[in-house]
Every structure is written in C-alpha cells, then in structure tokens.
Amino acid sequence: MKKILLISNRVMHYRSRIYNKFFDMFKELGYEFHVASNDFQKVDFPIRYIRHDAPFSTRNYTRLIAEIKPDVCINFLHLKDKIIIPLTFYCRWKKIPMIYWNHGINIKTPDAKLKNSIFHFIHTISSAIILYSPAQLKYLSKRNQKKTFIAKNTLDFSDVDRKALRTPDEVKAAYGIKEKRVILYISRILPYKGLDILLEQFKDCTNTALVVVGGGISEQQQAMIDSNPHYYYLGEKYGKDVDEIYQIGDVFSTPGHIGLALNQAMFWGIPVVVLNRIHAPEIIYLKQGENGFIVDSEAELKSKILEICNDTELHSRMSAAARHTYETEMQIENMFQGFIDAIRFVAEPYR
C-alpha cells in the first residue's frame, strides 16, 4: 500500500475529524494516511489516521520520513516552523514529491515583500500546491499556478449523531437560557474576531440571547456578560457539547473575522452575518442575501441580525439556504478531491 505523510503544525481537534475521514477515503484508493506533528490537540473521539508525535527539528523529521518511506509528503507548515524549507529540499533529494498546502502567503500580511519572496521560493521548489480557494491563486506566480489544485476548506460532520444530542429546549434549560431567539458567537476570543462589537450592539436587546463560546475571554468582556442577564458565556466547548449549542442558534456572527465556524453554522442551518472585513477563505460560502449578509457598519450588523431573528419567513428561507450550501458545496469529498488530484499529479515522473 502506498503511503501519504502529512507534516503539520498544531493539529486542531477539528482537523483530526477531517484527517479521520481522509484516512478512510485514502484507504479506499490504496493509500495509507499518516500525520506527523509536534502538537496534537486533545479530542473526544478515536483517532483512525496513523499518528506520529515528534518535536520539530530537521533531524527528527528527516528520520521520520526515512522510517515511514512515504510515496508523497504534504507540507502544512508556517514560515515560523523552520523545518519547512529543509524538509522540502530533503524530499527533493530523496525524490519524494512534496506538496505545499496552505493559503499561498500569509493573508494577514499580504504586502510583506520579504515574507512573500520566501513563500514564492517554497512554491517553486514544491512538487505541487494545494490552496483553500481559487481567490488565493493571485498570490502565486503564473508558472506555479500550473501545478496548483484547489481543496475548498471544510469540516467533516459525518460522525455527528443528532439523535444522541439533547434537544434545543433541553440545551437551553441546561444553560439557563430563557430567550426565544439566540445569537451565537463560537470561536476563539481574539480582538480581531469582534466579540466586543456584539457585546456593545446587543446590550439593549433584552428579548434576544447572545451566547458566547470559546477560550480567551478578557476580564472586561466577562464583566459585561455578567452585567447583562441576556448574555451567556459558556466557556470553551468541543465535540458533542458544541454541537448541542449550535442547535439553539438563530443567527451566527463573529463580526470581524470568520473561518471554519461558517461551515459549522451552515451545517446546522444557521444564517451568518459579518462585517465587510478580511475573512478566512471560507467566506466564499457566504452568499449575500441568501444564507447570510456581509455588512458595512456595526449598526447594519445589528439591524440584519435582528431582522433575521424577528422575521420568521426570512429566517426559515435563510436557514434552508444555509443547509443547502453545506449539502451542495461543503461536503468533505469536495475538499478531498483537491488532494487526490494533486497527489495523482505528482505521482507522474518526478518533477
């Protein structure tokens, strides 16, 4: 059986669900899927992919590659992971195709010329490139675009057992949520995500709950939540716990920046409203006026969220559209196809 080795920075819990699914799909095609990292986040489900824990160093990972003898390596590293260039050269020396998978550049600093030149060098010495969306092709040279494949980023929910979850009413009762309508913020709590915007905009909307889930809350944010009886901070949740919370949402918003939480909201049929700012590639799934809104001001953000909450027909239509987007565009098989296309490309005579 041929072997695929993914070398990754921290493997977040949601990535492990993706990699489990990839393991199954690769196996059907005659590949054994390995994942190596210096940091795996704890998960509450069995790991099926073949896991390798090793601190980052060129020596550790060249040894690991020599032991596993992969047919293809996939590099999911950042520039700060200093093994990225040495490992790419090592694989070239050993005639092991190395596929670069990421955004193309650091999309938070798109004008950083020095960093971009290093990224472009990595693109050139890689056997192929996998990007999150076609919108990122602009960060690559035309020459390197010819060996680039698109794997639209998504999440895998095939193991979610809806029947095993508490009902929305039971979930609300468990957390003491009394309001009929619920605005969800589920994400790491970082300044650019915009939790403060929601806390400020909805403090007078006493008939609508603002439910916050995620790590990193500040003392000031916690104090504001504590002082508003329709605000709820539920802590950091994963797995079944967070799935249950998604069930109670009417609108989802991380105003300043949204990523894969958009995919999870769409899976649960929750319309999404965000500000017109720089978002992760998953923003391509948000269809203006259909499954959510991208708005230009904080006042408009509040207005659109409340409009969805209070207009039953609009909410029903947008909820159905969100679910349709997930079912037609966000399936894990669509993401996997980008990977298998890249792997088949590099499996031709070494480039």
Side-chain angles (χ1 to χ4, degrees):
M1 181 174 280
K2 293 182 178 180
K3 298 176 182 177
I4 308 294
L5 172 61
L6 169 65
I7 301 169
S8 176
N9 46 52
R10 190 181 196 210
V11 178
M12 301 293 287
H13 58 94
Y14 62 85
R15 289 283 175 205
S16 280
R17 290 173 83 165
I18 292 172
Y19 298 156
N20 271 349
K21 188 67 174 180
F22 275 20
F23 175 82
D24 297 337
M25 292 191 285
F26 273 127
K27 188 175 181 181
E28 288 181 6
L29 297 175
Y31 293 97
E32 191 175 80
F33 185 49
H34 298 246
V35 179
S37 178
N38 68 333
D39 187 5
F40 288 84
Q41 189 174 21
K42 186 178 179 181
V43 297
D44 60 354
F45 50 84
I47 294 296
R48 297 195 297 279
Y49 60 84
I50 302 168
R51 170 176 161 170
H52 303 270
D53 295 75
F56 278 163
S57 76
T58 301
R59 185 177 183 182
N60 284 344
Y61 278 77
T62 53
R63 278 183 177 178
L64 188 62
I65 293 168
E67 290 169 7
I68 296 171
K69 296 182 174 61
D71 295 273
V72 176
C73 284
I74 301 171
N75 152 17
F76 188 53
L77 298 167
H78 298 310
L79 288 188
K80 66 182 180 182
D81 304 315
K82 296 179 182 178
I83 61 173
I84 184 171
I85 291 177
L87 288 189
T88 304
F89 273 118
Y90 176 80
C91 285
R92 285 176 66 89
W93 176 50
K94 291 295 183 179
K95 294 195 167 18
I96 302 169
M98 174 68 92
I99 299 171
Y100 170 83
W101 171 36
N102 224 299
H103 296 283
I105 63 171
N106 185 335
I107 58 176
K108 294 179 182 177
T109 55
D111 300 319
K113 292 183 179 180
L114 177 58
K115 280 198 293 186
N116 288 350
S117 67
I118 300 171
F119 279 119
H120 294 153
F121 177 69
I122 293 169
H123 302 161
T124 299
I125 64 175
S126 298
S127 306
I129 300 163
I130 297 173
L131 297 179
Y132 287 123
S133 82
Q136 297 169 321
L137 283 168
K138 64 185 178 183
Y139 300 129
L140 276 59
S141 69
K142 290 195 180 299
R143 172 189 172 191
N144 287 327
Q145 287 180 18
K146 295 177 181 178
K147 61 180 181 181
T148 299
F149 301 84
I150 306 300
K152 290 183 179 178
N153 210 23
T154 193
L155 295 169
D156 179 48
F157 301 106
S158 59
D159 60 348
V160 174
D161 182 359
R162 293 173 183 262
K163 294 179 181 178
L165 303 179
R166 291 176 292 183
T167 67
D169 285 344
E170 289 172 334
V171 174
K172 281 187 172 184
Y175 291 112
I177 298 167
K178 305 172 291 299
E179 294 76 14
K180 182 180 178 181
R181 294 300 189 185
V182 173
I183 303 163
L184 288 182
Y185 174 107
I186 301 178
S187 182
R188 288 178 296 165
I189 300 172
L190 299 167
Y192 64 89
K193 294 276 187 174
L195 174 58
D196 289 338
I197 295 168
L198 296 178
L199 293 174
E200 181 62 32
Q201 290 295 319
F202 292 94
K203 60 187 178 182
D204 61 338
C205 301
T206 56
N207 60 344
T208 303
L210 172 60
V211 174
V212 178
V213 176
I217 194 164
S218 69
E219 291 182 6
Q220 293 85 352
Q221 289 166 334
Q222 184 67 69
M224 194 164 185
I225 290 171
D226 291 342
S227 66
N228 285 273
H230 60 290
Y231 285 178
Y232 303 84
Y233 177 58
L234 308 186
E236 200 167 357
K237 304 287 183 182
Y238 298 105
K240 181 180 176 181
D241 290 340
V242 80
D243 286 332
E244 289 186 332
I245 296 166
Y246 268 100
Q247 287 186 112
I248 69 173
D250 293 288
V251 181
F252 187 95
S253 184
T254 54
H257 182 88
I258 197 165
L260 281 165
L262 187 150
N263 300 53
Q264 198 155 5
M266 297 286 165
F267 171 78
W268 289 104
I270 307 172
V272 174
V273 183
V274 294
L275 288 167
N276 187 9
R277 294 185 179 175
I278 296 175
H279 295 278
E282 293 76 35
I283 197 68
I284 61 172
Y285 296 123
L286 200 160
K287 303 177 191 304
Q288 184 75 337
E290 294 182 26
N291 56 22
F293 293 103
I294 301 175
V295 300
D296 293 324
S297 70
E298 295 176 11
E300 190 181 3
L301 178 89
K302 178 181 181 180
S303 174
K304 288 298 184 185
I305 289 175
L306 291 178
E307 182 182 354
I308 297 170
C309 284
N310 296 326
D311 186 331
T312 303
E313 189 279 330
L314 177 63
H315 180 269
S316 179
R317 174 169 60 80
M318 285 196 148
S319 178
R323 182 65 189 172
H324 180 73
T325 301
Y326 173 77
E327 292 173 347
T328 57
E329 299 182 37
M330 295 182 176
Q331 296 296 302
I332 193 72
E333 289 79 8
N334 296 346
M335 182 180 179
F336 180 75
Q337 190 61 49
F339 280 79
I340 203 63
D341 288 346
I343 288 165
R344 286 170 175 161
F345 174 81
V346 300
E348 297 173 13
Y350 182 71
R351 299 169 183 274

